[in-house]
Amino acid sequence: MTVQDTESTPMAATGVILSDPAAAKVKALLDQEGRDDLRLRIAVQPGGCSGLRYQLFFDERFLDGDQTHEFGGVEVIVDRMSSPYLGGATIDFVDTIEKQGFTIDNPNAGSSCACGDSFS
């Protein structure tokens, strides 16, 4: 049995926010994959130098308790265990001469490492 909570507003208290540039990049990457059954899964797992690390990957599965959000035609999934750590977090994509990649601005992070891949 799969439970899904579809959020229609990006500012939902329990939801993650995917910026327009991030949604466009994810959509482009999904188009390259050539599959229409994939979604962006954002998760928090133990590890990293600060205790918890972010995981962003494409997934075709739905798990019990998953929350789904839609941003610019991109479906984003957050699992039940990661949701408390990611509420209100904004995922962005930057493409500058200094840096290219996804960034996460998480109001729930008390501290983070210098690389930005993990937090506590």
Side-chain angles (χ1 to χ4, degrees):
M1 180 172 158
T2 301
V3 177
Q4 298 177 21
D5 177 18
T6 303
E7 299 288 340
S8 59
T9 57
M11 298 302 280
T14 60
V16 66
I17 301 161
L18 193 66
S19 72
D20 290 341
K25 183 62 176 181
V26 170
K27 187 150 181 45
L29 292 170
L30 285 170
D31 289 346
Q32 285 179 358
E33 289 291 322
R35 292 176 55 185
D36 60 358
D37 64 333
L38 295 176
R39 296 149 198 89
L40 177 66
R41 182 173 290 278
I42 303 170
V44 173
Q45 297 184 345
C49 46
S50 292
L52 297 169
R53 65 183 177 151
Y54 300 109
Q55 295 284 306
L56 281 79
F57 58 96
F58 296 134
D59 198 353
E60 70 275 356
R61 302 169 300 144
F62 280 108
L63 305 174
D64 285 344
D66 278 351
Q67 294 182 345
T68 63
H69 312 272
E70 174 118 3
F71 301 94
V74 173
E75 193 172 9
V76 176
I77 301 171
V78 178
D79 66 83
R80 176 182 15 209
M81 298 301 284
S82 299
S83 185
Y85 297 103
L86 294 170
T90 301
I91 288 80
D92 196 11
F93 183 78
V94 295
D95 189 4
T96 66
I97 196 164
E98 299 171 333
K99 179 178 176 180
Q100 181 185 44
F102 290 96
T103 62
I104 300 175
D105 180 20
N106 189 349
N108 303 302
S111 64
S112 63
C113 64
C115 66
D117 290 336
S118 68
F119 69 99
S120 63

